């Protein structure tokens, strides 16, 4: 797809995490000649009841407050990235539903996360994890906008979703001028190989898969530096998390070869990663899959 002139949307809620997500998105927009669209979801408060017992809704104050919140966020981004076009939008509704709706017309949705470790599960589950299940575009979950070193790491298992992840990861690596590292993890404990031929055959299958991933990444991107890693670990998620140490971004498909809407590997990786992760969904995918 490429990120040049793309539509980058940030879910903004006036937290430190969402501010970091906005800065990260603005930096990517600057590098790709794109713009940033800050979106804030708000609900109409119930302030009391009228004389007849009918609820009285007065959204004026909270709406004005939300508008000021977005204006302040946009001004902060413009001060740090003066050449980046920044727009804002208030949408009534709950954050998950608002961002899921807007994702259908978005090239990249960027969200922050408010914690790490066990606590993050609940925090991520309220909004970000829900978006990952149903978003109509790639979703970048940003923990820090300070990490600018290292390659872009992408997981590849031969699935269609992993192929889409290769495309997004290659575009990010190209935009940043860094290497792309394609990783395949063979999961599960196994007995020692009975022969060199058996070990070679297992490795050959993984090398062939990695070669396909490299060919896809290099298509139309002749200046891109692509590396490969073939790993073994107890689970794919554990292998990816270990490999992602020091990476600028980890990119994964929303599911691998399984048929679930949001794969267990993607879930575990996003939940436990200590760096930034982008989850790639196929555009306009039927919701029943």
């Amino acid at each position: 797809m490429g990120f040049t002139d793309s539509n980058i949307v940030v879910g903004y809620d006036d937290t430190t995490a969402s501010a970091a997500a906005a800065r990260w998105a603005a930096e990517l927009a600057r590098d790709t000649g794109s713009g940033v669209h800050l979106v804030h979801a708000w609900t109409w408060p119930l302030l009391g009841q009228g004389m007849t017992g009918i609820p009285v809704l007065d959204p004026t104050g909270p709406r004005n407050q939300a508008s000021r919140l977005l204006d302040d966020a946009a001004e902060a981004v413009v001060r740090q990235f003066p050449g980046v076009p920044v727009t804002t939008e208030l949408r009534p509704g709950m954050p998950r539903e608002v961002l899921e709706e807007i994702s259908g017309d978005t090239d990249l949705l960027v969200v922050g996360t408010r914690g790490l470790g066990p606590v993050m599960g609940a925090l991520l589950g309220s909004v970000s994890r829900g978006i990952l299940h149903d978003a109509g575009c790639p979703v970048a979950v940003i923990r820090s906008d300070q990490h600018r070193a290292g390659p872009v790491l992408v997981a590849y298992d031969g699935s269609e979703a992993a192929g889409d992840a290769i495309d997004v990861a290659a575009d990010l690596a190209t935009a940043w001028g860094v290497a792309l590292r394609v990783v395949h993890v063979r999961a599960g404990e196994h007995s020692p190989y009975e022969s060199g031929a058996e070990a070679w055959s297992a490795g050959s299958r993984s090398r062939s898969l990695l070669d396909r991933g490299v060919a896809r990444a290099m298509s139309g991107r002749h200046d891109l530096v692509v590396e490969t890693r073939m790993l073994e670990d107890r689970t794919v998620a554990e292998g990816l998390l270990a490999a992602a140490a020091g990476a600028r971004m980890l990119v994964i498909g929303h599911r691998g070869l399984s048929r679930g809407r949001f794969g267990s590997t993607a879930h575990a990786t996003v939940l436990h990663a200590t760096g930034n992760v982008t989850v790639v969904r196929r555009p306009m995918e039927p919701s029943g899959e």
Side-chain angles (χ1 to χ4, degrees), residues 49 60 74 86 104 115 125 154 162 169 193 199 204 213 216 229-230 236 256 270 274:
Q49 291 186 331
T60 306
V86 181
V154 60
Y193 295 113
S204 179
R216 180 158 181 162
R229 294 289 187 276
M230 182 171 56
V236 174
V270 173
T274 57

Side-chain angles (χ1 to χ4, degrees), residues 23-59:
R23 292 191 299 268
W24 182 92
E27 185 171 9
L28 177 62
R30 181 196 63 191
D31 295 340
T32 58
S34 303
V36 172
H37 188 54
L38 303 178
V39 175
H40 178 69
W42 71 290
T43 55
W44 293 36
L46 179 63
L47 299 183
Q49 291 186 331
M51 297 295 293
T52 62
I54 298 175
V56 176
L57 297 174
D58 183 5

Side-chain angles (χ1 to χ4, degrees), residues 87-108:
T87 56
T88 62
E89 181 180 2
L90 287 176
R91 286 203 178 194
M94 300 303 294
R96 173 177 172 174
E97 287 75 15
V98 165
L99 295 179
E100 180 185 333
E101 179 183 3
I102 204 171
S103 70
D105 299 314
T106 299
D107 296 315
L108 179 67

Side-chain angles (χ1 to χ4, degrees), residues 68-79:
R68 288 194 299 271
L69 178 154
L70 276 178
D71 289 343
D72 291 345
E75 289 175 4
V77 170
V78 169
R79 282 196 301 269

Side-chain angles (χ1 to χ4, degrees), residues 156 182-193 195-196 198-207 210 228-243:
Y156 188 67
V182 183
V183 174
H184 175 63
V185 181
R186 290 188 293 178
E189 299 179 357
H190 57 75
S191 301
Y193 295 113
S195 65
E198 183 181 356
W200 184 90
S201 177
S204 179
R205 289 191 295 271
S206 294
R207 284 190 294 272
L210 284 171
T228 60
R229 294 289 187 276
M230 182 171 56
L231 307 172
E232 291 188 357
D233 213 317
R234 192 174 66 89
T235 67
V236 174
E238 289 176 355
L240 291 178
L241 291 170

